Amino acid sequence: MMDAMFAPAPTLRQILNWLSSPAMLDLVFAGRHHAFLTRQRLLAIDARIRLISAVFGLFNLLWIALDVATLAAPIWQGLAVCRVLSSVVFIGLALSPQRDPQRTVVLARLAAVLVVPMVMYGVALGHMTGHTLHGLAALNATMYRTLPMLALAGLSVFPLVALESAAFALLLGGAALAIQWLLGGFDGL
């Protein structure tokens, strides 16, 4: 036990050999996975998409009450329409028929789960820009501002390989920057 504590640090060559080992490459790329592992991974992603979609479908509708209680009518009404439509998308994803998982279909469904918060972010940003918000309204606006980060953090729930995670993260980050740019800059809500 004591010998393991005082083992020499690995050399750079050992670290590079370990990082380029087949096991490590399997964490980066899905192409080399066995069919059984691929199927189980896709089933796990799909099951989590269904669960998250069902929960978000319900919570999206409940959030309308918070918007009504804290925001002015012109703001909350537009957000309520977007929330109802978002809930329809989420519930559709949760209840869609389950088929034999195909990678492109499952990843497209995951993209849909991640796009909805980005749309909500864009709609909220558009509705709240130019309004001075105080108290609970400002707190609610801050929660809307966190949607891109929440979507990004949500990626950790899914058993994705590194390349898939990086691609989704770049898409989410790019979408957030594009929304900010299109709506007039980077000053926030």
Side-chain angles (χ1 to χ4, degrees):
M1 179 75 171
M2 288 296 276
D3 291 338
M5 288 177 42
F6 297 107
T11 65
L12 179 59
R13 179 176 296 276
Q14 289 171 323
I15 292 171
L16 291 175
N17 286 339
W18 178 70
L19 289 174
S20 64
S21 70
M24 287 303 295
L25 291 176
D26 285 343
L27 295 176
V28 177
F29 306 103
R32 295 177 15 147
H33 292 173
H34 292 285
F36 177 77
L37 175 60
T38 296
R39 179 172 165 59
Q40 294 307 311
R41 187 176 77 88
L42 293 175
L43 286 171
I45 293 170
D46 192 59
R48 291 172 187 171
I49 288 169
R50 291 175 189 285
L51 175 65
I52 288 170
S53 294
V55 170
F56 284 6
L58 174 65
F59 283 148
N60 238 357
L61 293 174
L62 295 175
W63 199 281
I64 293 171
L66 179 63
D67 288 342
V68 169
T70 61
L71 300 171
I75 299 172
W76 74 257
Q77 289 169 343
L79 293 175
V81 169
C82 189
R83 284 198 172 277
V84 169
L85 293 174
S86 296
S87 288
V88 169
V89 171
F90 280 133
I91 292 168
L93 287 167
L95 299 178
S96 64
Q98 192 168 8
R99 296 184 291 276
D100 191 39
Q102 296 175 356
R103 185 172 182 265
T104 54
V105 173
V106 171
L107 293 179
R109 289 168 47 78
L110 176 56
V113 167
L114 297 171
V115 162
V116 171
M118 298 309 295
V119 170
M120 279 300 307
Y121 171 70
V123 170
L125 194 66
H127 277 76
M128 292 182 196
T129 297
H131 293 278
T132 304
L133 304 172
H134 301 284
L136 293 176
L139 179 62
N140 195 359
T142 299
M143 288 188 276
Y144 276 105
R145 270 196 309 269
T146 65
L147 285 174
M149 283 72 72
L150 292 173
L152 190 59
L155 283 174
S156 66
V157 174
F158 300 96
L160 302 172
V161 293
L163 194 60
E164 293 166 339
S165 294
F168 278 117
L170 286 172
L171 287 172
L172 288 172
L177 289 173
I179 290 167
Q180 285 280 343
W181 182 73
L182 288 170
L183 293 175
F186 298 93
D187 295 332
L189 294 172

